Amino acid sequence: MSRNPTTRPIRLRRSVLSVPAINPRALEKTHAVDCDAVIFDLEDSVAPEKKAEARENLRNFFSARPLQGKERIIRINSLSTNFGLADMELVTALGPDAVLLPKVDEPQDVMAVGDLLSEADASEDLRIWAMIETPRGILNAAAIAEAGRTPGSRLDCLVVGLNDLRKETGVLPQPGRNYLVPWLMQVVLAVSAYGLDAIDSVFNDFRDEQGFDAECLQGRAMGFAGKMLIHPAQIEPANRHFGPDPAAIAEAEAIIAAFADPASDGLNVINAGGRMVERLHLVQAESLVHKARLIAARQAAARKTM
């Protein structure tokens, strides 16, 4: 099994809005909001007796008008439930950008869904995201992420789910998440080792702007790519906190320019504005500038449609 992260497309995942598939009005609003990705939820937000209706809502939504400029992720019910296989049939029929698996405990959970996608001849562009929201999921985060490095693996992203994790461990929902930080960092370490993204958990009180800002700042400092959201009001601050600031972009552009200088040919460490910079910083700078360009391109496209 390869231990080197493979190259994957750089994507914006600052704001990942979860929308109940049972709510057609909320589905339609996703066309107008400025989030980077939308999770169409068939699991926790849909009552058992409404699962079939939610699937039909998604079928109608995908066929009516394509969602432009955002990653489209369908969160299914576990394959161990009575709804999982029907959800997977819908996923292969609709062809979203990714399928999100709930309560992933071990690599085999990801591999089983990968096998179903392969058997259905699903496009290689259809990726897998995994919810890490159980004690076993946290303990096995590295093994789950490593499974994303196997040939043919579709795993792209781990999403932390703290509501279920708190429920199973008894950890109280306190500001600062002090007792949860080691577990959060374990997920970040796992994705960093194997070239995936990690998305921070939801913040439940969308009216608490100060608390949400603080948690975004914490998640960004930890190394999360973005945050899972429960309300459109959280999109703008998530984009702002997890997006590159102008000073960071300027510094990244300077690093790129310094390494592009012919005098830097063959050098792994150079002097850039009085600071010693390694070639690994060039890779980080190129990623940041690419994300900034993606943001600018989407903003320009949005202005044209206004």
Side-chain angles (χ1 to χ4, degrees):
M1 184 178 293
S2 171
R3 298 205 177 255
N4 296 319
T6 58
T7 301
R8 295 182 182 273
I10 296 172
R11 296 189 181 275
L12 296 174
R13 288 167 174 162
R14 303 164 298 168
S15 50
V16 182
L17 180 65
S18 182
V19 177
I22 195 60
N23 188 335
R25 187 178 174 207
L27 294 177
E28 188 61 28
K29 285 184 176 180
T30 60
H31 289 289
V33 296
D34 190 33
C35 58
D36 292 332
V38 177
I39 294 172
F40 301 101
D41 186 30
L42 293 169
E43 196 219 9
D44 280 349
S45 65
V46 181
E49 66 273 14
K50 295 287 187 177
K51 301 289 187 182
E53 180 182 343
R55 285 193 294 270
E56 191 61 25
N57 287 345
L58 271 193
R59 195 182 301 276
N60 294 336
F61 176 80
F62 270 70
S63 63
R65 178 160 59 119
L67 187 64
Q68 300 289 345
K70 305 174 182 72
E71 271 191 281
R72 304 157 304 151
I73 304 101
I74 296 178
R75 178 160 76 161
I76 65 169
N77 292 274
S78 171
L79 294 183
S80 64
T81 70
N82 295 328
F83 313 108
L85 287 178
D87 291 348
M88 282 301 301
E89 290 175 3
L90 180 70
V91 166
T92 55
L94 299 184
D97 296 297
V99 54
L100 176 57
L101 316 183
K103 300 176 179 62
V104 171
D105 283 336
E106 55 191 6
Q108 287 75 11
D109 297 335
V110 175
M111 294 174 182
V113 172
D115 289 343
L116 288 177
L117 292 174
S118 297
E119 291 167 6
D121 291 325
S123 167
E124 288 297 319
D125 293 333
L126 203 169
R127 313 306 295 175
I128 293 175
W129 290 22
M131 290 290 303
I132 306 299
E133 51 187 339
T134 66
R136 288 182 63 198
I138 293 291
L139 290 171
N140 291 327
I144 293 166
E146 186 178 21
R149 305 301 87 201
T150 57
S153 174
R154 298 169 181 264
L155 185 63
D156 261 8
C157 191
L158 303 186
V159 184
V160 179
L162 290 185
N163 286 334
D164 281 284
L165 192 58
R166 289 189 185 104
K167 178 182 177 182
E168 291 199 29
T169 61
V171 173
L172 297 178
Q174 297 174 331
R177 306 188 291 186
N178 291 341
Y179 298 108
L180 296 167
V181 166
W183 301 343
L184 292 168
M185 290 306 304
Q186 193 162 323
V187 174
V188 172
L189 191 63
V191 299
S192 300
Y194 297 106
L196 308 177
D197 279 339
I199 305 300
D200 197 3
S201 182
V202 299
F203 184 83
N204 294 313
D205 188 355
F206 62 85
R207 297 164 299 183
D208 182 1
E209 297 177 8
Q210 185 175 356
F212 183 70
D213 282 343
E215 200 160 287
C216 283
L217 286 168
Q218 182 193 47
R220 172 67 182 272
M222 287 179 180
F224 283 98
K227 196 160 183 65
M228 187 175 172
L229 313 177
I230 60 169
H231 194 277
Q234 297 175 323
I235 294 172
E236 187 280 328
N239 284 345
R240 174 162 34 89
H241 288 301
F242 286 96
D245 62 68
I249 296 170
E251 181 182 15
E253 289 173 338
I255 290 173
I256 294 170
F259 273 102
D261 190 323
S264 301
D265 284 349
L267 298 178
N268 281 331
V269 181
I270 63 172
N271 184 333
R275 175 185 166 207
M276 300 309 294
V277 178
E278 299 181 45
R279 194 164 289 274
L280 65 89
H281 296 120
L282 173 62
V283 176
Q284 295 170 342
E286 289 172 338
S287 175
L288 188 146
V289 169
H290 183 71
K291 286 183 178 181
R293 290 172 180 166
L294 289 175
I295 294 168
R298 198 171 80 192
Q299 290 173 340
R303 286 193 292 269
K304 288 181 181 179
T305 60
M306 293 176 63

